[in-house]
Amino acid sequence: GAAALKVKSVGELGASKYCEWARALVELAAYEDAGARRGAANVNFALDAAHESKSLADVLELPPSALQGLAAHADEPLARMGVKTIRDLGTWKFAAAAKAISVLADAEADDAATHK
C-alpha cells in the first residue's frame, strides 16, 4: 500500500506529493466552473498529459496513477486499501492522520513525563 506511494514512514506518507496533490485537487474542485478548468489553478504538472484538459471534477474520478509520476501498478495496492480514485486519495483518512502526526511531531517532547 504505502510502498505504492513511494513512502516508507508515517512522516513520508503525510508529506507525500501524491497525497498533497490529491488533497489540493479535492479542495480546488469546489471552486471550478461546472465541467471546465476556468477559474481553477493550472495543475498540469500534477497530472499525466492525457488528463491535463479535463475538469477537476473529472480528474477526481481518475485512478491515482493519473497523477504525474505515479505508475499504473500502484493502483491495485491502493484499491485494496479503498483508494480507487484521486478523490479517494485526497480524502483518505490515513493520509490525513499521517499529515497531522508529521506536523505535530516537531512539537513532541523528548520525555512526555516532563509535561504532566
Side-chain angles (χ1 to χ4, degrees):
L5 294 172
K6 305 174 186 177
V7 298
K8 297 177 184 160
S9 69
V10 170
E12 287 182 11
L13 177 59
S16 162
K17 69 179 178 182
Y18 306 113
C19 293
E20 290 188 349
W21 286 349
R23 196 168 23 253
L25 289 166
V26 168
E27 291 294 323
L28 285 176
Y31 299 99
E32 179 181 60
D33 293 338
R37 291 275 290 273
R38 293 184 310 276
N42 177 338
V43 295
N44 292 350
F45 287 146
L47 301 171
D48 285 341
H51 308 297
E52 290 177 356
S53 64
K54 293 181 178 175
S55 71
L56 295 181
D58 289 341
V59 165
L60 293 180
E61 301 313 315
L62 295 171
S65 61
L67 295 170
Q68 182 79 232
L70 193 56
H73 62 79
D75 290 336
E76 190 210 328
L78 288 170
R80 286 195 305 265
M81 295 185 296
V83 177
K84 297 177 183 175
T85 66
I86 291 174
R87 179 188 312 278
D88 293 340
L89 183 58
T91 59
W92 193 31
K93 67 181 180 179
F94 298 111
K99 178 71 172 178
I101 290 167
S102 64
V103 166
L104 290 173
D106 292 337
E108 187 175 87
D110 288 335
D111 180 11
T114 62
H115 294 285
K116 288 186 179 182

